Amino acid sequence: MTNKQTERTLRADAERSARAILTAAEQVLAEDPGASMEQIAAAAGVARTTIHRRFASRQALIEALATSAARQLAQAVDDGRPDTAPPLVAMHRITANVLQVKGAWAFALELPADPHSEAALLQQDIARRCTAVLARAQADKLIDATADLDWVRRVYYALLGESLHGNNDAGVDPDTLAARIVDTLLHGAGPRT
């Protein structure tokens, strides 16, 4: 094996180890926010020293967890084609994608982020992109021309949160929940005319 092949193998192993640690940290900390690094290491199937080699402190692990989750959320938005898909299609795709990511990374995505951290910057960009999709929907007359899009975005976020935390929605697939959320956002709960 050449040096470059060895480097690639070591890098791939380190990336797999980091992903396993972050996945385990999400699961363990979601159940017990005070869980120790040892508990996270055990759940990841790695030695505690492996975690400390990769993350200098518990806070560094938490920050990496928040950043990783925010990156996945940003990718979920990208995958919904917010700039090119018809607004209604983009809203549905993004909603279904976001529900999946938020369901898997609920602990990490609820962590308060330092305002200058990568996670906070990603969240700000996601909010901006969400408002842009809503503006496209408004231009297509799916949203009232006088609606405050910042308020509409906040209502949308609230609907996402309720769908994720509501007991009645457990086991409902993301596409069905996305349809409910988008329908409620665009039409409310009033009678159809």
Side-chain angles (χ1 to χ4, degrees):
M1 195 181 271
T2 68
N3 282 344
K4 285 191 182 222
Q5 288 172 321
T6 302
E7 280 181 37
R8 276 189 292 242
T9 300
L10 291 174
R11 221 176 340 204
D13 286 346
E15 286 176 25
R16 273 192 302 277
S17 176
R19 275 194 307 272
I21 292 166
L22 292 174
T23 300
E26 170 65 31
Q27 294 166 351
V28 170
L29 294 171
E31 287 183 28
D32 177 10
S36 68
M37 296 287 267
E38 290 81 10
Q39 290 170 296
I40 294 167
V46 299
R48 188 175 59 83
T49 55
T50 301
I51 289 184
H52 287 291
R53 200 171 34 247
R54 181 79 174 142
F55 306 101
S57 65
R58 178 185 172 82
Q59 186 58 37
L61 173 62
I62 298 286
E63 288 170 10
L65 184 61
T67 300
S68 176
R71 284 179 186 157
Q72 290 180 54
L73 194 60
Q75 185 62 52
V77 172
D78 286 345
D79 291 347
R81 299 181 29 230
D83 303 321
T84 58
L88 189 58
V89 172
M91 289 172 69
H92 179 85
R93 286 181 180 165
I94 290 167
T95 303
N97 294 347
V98 165
L99 285 167
Q100 289 180 314
V101 172
K102 282 186 167 268
W105 297 93
F107 175 83
L109 289 169
E110 290 183 10
L111 291 169
D114 175 329
H116 304 292
S117 68
E118 182 181 351
L121 295 174
L122 285 166
Q123 293 283 2
Q124 292 167 12
D125 186 56
I126 290 166
R128 181 195 57 76
R129 294 178 77 197
C130 179
T131 303
V133 171
L134 294 172
R136 291 180 59 226
Q138 192 174 45
D140 277 6
K141 301 189 183 341
L142 298 171
I143 296 174
D144 186 81
T146 63
D148 175 348
L149 294 182
D150 182 56
W151 176 255
V152 174
R153 179 185 55 79
R154 290 168 50 205
V155 169
Y156 171 70
Y157 282 11
L159 290 169
L160 281 167
E162 282 301 312
S163 292
L164 290 165
H165 300 298
N167 293 334
N168 294 338
D169 294 328
V172 178
D173 71 279
D175 282 325
T176 299
L177 282 177
R180 285 183 196 168
I181 291 168
V182 172
D183 184 62
T184 302
L185 182 70
L186 298 179
H187 306 293
R192 309 281 187 220
T193 55

